Amino acid sequence: MNDFTNKIKIQVLMRYKSIPIWECKWAPLLWLLLASCGQSAQEKITGKASPPNIVFIFADDWGWGDLGAHGHPFIKTPNIDRMALEGTDFYRFTAASSVGSPSRTAVLTGQFPARHNVNASFSGIPINLRRNMPDWLDPEAILLPRLLQQNGYRTGHFGKWQLTNSIINDAPSAESYGFDTYGTFNCSGVQMPFYEDAEQSITFIKQAVSDEVPFYVNLWIHEPHIPHHAIPKYEKDFLHLENDKDRVYSSVIFHADERIGKVLDVLDQLEVAKNTLVVFSSDNGPARNSRKREMSFVSDPATGIGYNIAASTGTTGGRRGYKASLFEGGIGVPFIARWPGVIPAGKIDSTSLISAVDLLPTFCEIGDVNLPENYHADGLSQLKTLGGIPYPKRSKPLFWKAFSRNISEDNPDHWGSYAIVDKNWKLIANKDLTYVELYDIQADVHEENDLKEKYPEIVMSLLEQIQEWEMTLPKKPNPKLFSKERSYSSE
């Protein structure tokens, strides 16, 4: 690149450095210029040479509609709402699964969880055997935290793990996956008290800032998964609600939002907010009391005693289905991103389709980390999308594989075992591909108009893609990922 070209690029950047890139009509051209310069894109935009920090907040069973910013009539989420005001609310983010363990697998690997034989949540050995699953995620896979760690980031994980199960005693710890510091529950070994997630994250962030190293931190919160730990301090704000279940559910979300706010406040106090990307999302849609249980107490070996699923009154914002369904209510979840000066403030992006498998390539590009040559990426970097350039149609399809239930009156939307999204089309299919439904998901996010009779050729094309994808998946998990206790267990 000659000196003249460099000078032109510098002049263009100087011309627009005082306004956000998304407000400039030449934004697409600027992105191309930035990408071809020797320095990273975030340095050109923010004027900072140091790599940006990343805070990824991952909730558990948090429905798309369970936010004040999304119009919930009584749930209070002032701190997450603040993120929406100071960042962009992406309405079309989709989790890679409708249940927790595979969804989390996709975040760490940037791949469809079926590539790792993780198609349901990790459980005890007999159930893992029955589901043809390993007993934990492969720590030797190419993983987001390790990629960042190897490139100068200090990495921390605080909160839920669920990449094994707490009753698998010999599973590896988070340290084996590329985390320098961690405190986890739903893991092997010692269970961190769930309510210490923000406190431990803050300690980690303060130390990294003091040491002047960039940091990546997972804050994976428990709420609003069962058991629901309702605390009087937070319940008192919802005593006016007639339904006890709504009172409990609202209070646990309010508690989680307060902890998130403490982390946001610390970023401000340490004066690193402008160089920190913060993302809030959820592993899947809200749980549902399909068996119509009465409210009572249940105990969990990781988080203790709390209210049962009867208090799970989460909402999907009108999307069809709930947790464990491949309809949008099960996989369409909140995704709010804040990065002052880079991500547009107070904006809603209702068109860009972002997937959980995009997080690894996106975070790596943000951190100026090259992906290994032998890495198979299922996701795409969404840095430009975060910067305000809509990306409604993806260049390659998204796939889901799940363990389905039979259709019933209580679970009418849980029959899907496969799903594919290609461009504007979404197809859901049952286990043997004999029943499907087809939607124009760009125009019909609520999945109300099944178009399979109108477009049979599209149905056939999408089914063929699912079959071809299935052939690329491993038939069985690697035995190195089996607990030694399997030899003492039977199916």
Side-chain angles (χ1 to χ4, degrees):
M1 191 178 298
N2 59 45
D3 291 341
F4 175 78
T5 304
N6 274 329
K7 288 179 181 178
I8 292 295
K9 289 179 178 178
I10 291 170
Q11 289 172 1
V12 172
L13 291 166
M14 290 297 290
R15 167 68 179 83
Y16 290 105
K17 72 176 183 178
S18 61
I19 64 172
I21 193 169
W22 57 86
E23 293 182 4
C24 170
K25 67 179 179 179
W26 302 107
L29 175 60
L30 282 174
W31 274 111
L32 291 174
L33 292 174
L34 293 170
S36 62
C37 290
Q39 294 170 296
S40 63
Q42 98 276 346
E43 180 179 346
K44 294 298 185 183
I45 299 169
T46 66
K48 295 181 182 293
S50 60
N53 311 304
I54 302 170
V55 177
F56 179 49
I57 306 167
F58 211 29
D60 196 345
D61 295 359
W62 198 302
W64 192 93
D66 294 339
L67 292 170
H70 289 177
H72 198 284
F74 52 80
I75 281 178
K76 297 179 182 180
T77 52
N79 293 292
I80 302 172
D81 295 351
R82 169 192 166 192
M83 282 186 59
L85 288 172
E86 297 175 351
T88 296
D89 192 347
F90 293 89
Y91 276 18
R92 298 207 58 229
F93 178 82
T94 181
S97 175
S98 59
V99 293
S101 294
S103 184
R104 295 161 196 275
T105 294
V107 171
L108 258 63
T109 65
Q111 295 179 319
F112 302 127
R115 295 197 187 281
H116 300 267
N117 276 99
V118 183
N119 301 315
S121 288
F122 285 108
S123 186
I125 291 170
I127 295 177
N128 290 340
L129 275 165
R130 214 162 40 238
R131 292 172 173 172
N132 191 34
M133 285 177 54
D135 292 321
W136 53 76
L137 176 65
D138 186 359
E140 296 179 2
I142 294 173
L143 302 167
L144 171 61
R146 183 174 295 120
L147 290 172
L148 294 172
Q149 183 188 57
Q150 292 171 345
N151 285 270
Y153 274 78
R154 185 170 296 172
T155 56
H157 182 104
F158 306 99
K160 190 161 191 174
W161 185 241
Q162 209 183 9
L163 295 168
T164 185
N165 190 281
S166 59
I167 58 177
I168 304 292
N169 297 315
D170 54 340
S173 69
E175 183 180 20
S176 302
Y177 295 81
F179 290 103
D180 296 308
T181 310
Y182 66 94
T184 54
F185 58 89
N186 286 114
C187 59
S188 61
V190 177
Q191 308 291 307
M192 180 197 83
F194 78 92
Y195 49 81
E196 291 184 3
D197 48 9
E199 177 185 337
Q200 294 197 28
S201 296
I202 288 169
T203 300
F204 171 83
I205 290 169
K206 286 181 176 179
Q207 188 61 57
V209 173
S210 176
D211 294 341
E212 297 184 343
V213 294
F215 60 84
Y216 167 76
V217 57
N218 280 342
L219 172 57
W220 287 10
I221 63 177
H222 168 68
E223 292 86 358
H225 195 279
I226 59 169
H228 297 298
H229 304 287
I231 299 173
K233 173 183 176 182
Y234 304 99
E235 281 189 282
K236 66 180 179 59
D237 287 84
F238 303 97
L239 293 177
H240 62 285
L241 299 177
E242 295 182 4
N243 190 323
D244 289 344
K245 300 172 185 177
D246 288 337
R247 186 194 72 245
V248 168
Y249 193 78
S250 300
S251 71
V252 298
I253 280 189
F254 194 39
H255 184 197
D257 180 83
E258 181 187 74
R259 302 200 307 277
I260 291 169
K262 290 179 179 179
V263 174
L264 298 177
D265 289 343
V266 164
L267 296 175
D268 291 337
Q269 294 162 12
L270 297 175
E271 299 183 344
V272 295
K274 290 185 178 180
N275 197 38
T276 303
L277 166 66
V278 183
V279 171
F280 170 80
S281 190
S282 178
D283 64 346
N284 47 251
R288 183 186 187 189
N289 183 23
S290 60
R291 297 181 185 176
K292 300 178 176 58
R293 300 176 179 89
E294 294 299 319
M295 199 159 69
S296 62
F297 289 105
V298 293
S299 180
D300 180 86
T303 67
I305 298 174
Y307 288 104
N308 68 349
I309 197 171
S312 298
T313 60
T315 61
T316 66
R319 289 159 170 77
R320 180 177 170 184
Y322 290 83
K323 178 179 181 177
S325 167
L326 292 181
F327 287 96
E328 292 299 293
I331 60 175
V333 294
F335 189 87
I336 299 172
R338 188 195 77 168
W339 185 1
V342 179
I343 294 177
K347 180 180 177 182
I348 292 174
D349 183 331
S350 59
T351 59
S352 299
L353 179 57
I354 304 176
S355 167
V357 295
D358 298 336
L359 296 179
L360 183 149
T362 301
F363 291 172
C364 283
E365 184 177 6
I366 287 170
D368 202 23
V369 175
N370 294 323
L371 299 179
E373 291 185 2
N374 63 334
Y375 175 66
H376 179 96
D378 286 324
L380 306 163
S381 174
Q382 297 284 359
L383 179 56
K384 295 179 184 179
T385 309
L386 293 180
I389 301 176
Y391 188 53
K393 292 187 179 181
R394 303 175 63 88
S395 57
K396 54 184 179 180
L398 295 170
F399 293 94
W400 289 261
K401 181 179 180 180
F403 285 92
S404 62
R405 307 174 189 173
N406 294 326
I407 300 177
S408 68
E409 183 178 347
D410 292 335
N411 295 300
D413 298 319
H414 289 73
W415 51 268
S417 289
Y418 295 93
I420 178 175
V421 170
D422 191 10
K423 303 297 189 295
N424 59 305
W425 296 109
K426 177 179 178 181
L427 182 86
I428 302 178
N430 65 352
K431 187 174 182 179
D432 59 6
L433 307 183
T434 58
Y435 179 80
V436 303
E437 293 184 9
L438 176 70
Y439 298 93
D440 182 345
I441 200 63
Q442 190 73 33
D444 182 19
V445 71
H446 292 166
E447 295 166 305
E448 296 174 327
N449 187 18
D450 181 5
L451 300 173
K452 64 174 176 285
E453 301 296 338
K454 187 175 182 179
Y455 298 104
E457 71 285 357
I458 293 174
V459 170
M460 291 304 300
S461 174
L462 295 177
L463 280 174
E464 287 176 3
Q465 288 189 66
I466 289 175
Q467 291 171 322
E468 291 171 0
W469 176 66
E470 173 72 23
M471 293 177 63
T472 70
L473 302 178
K475 302 302 180 185
K476 294 182 178 181
N478 191 322
K480 73 177 184 178
L481 307 177
F482 293 163
S483 168
K484 62 182 179 182
E485 297 178 12
R486 281 207 180 202
S487 58
Y488 305 109
S489 302
S490 61
E491 298 188 33

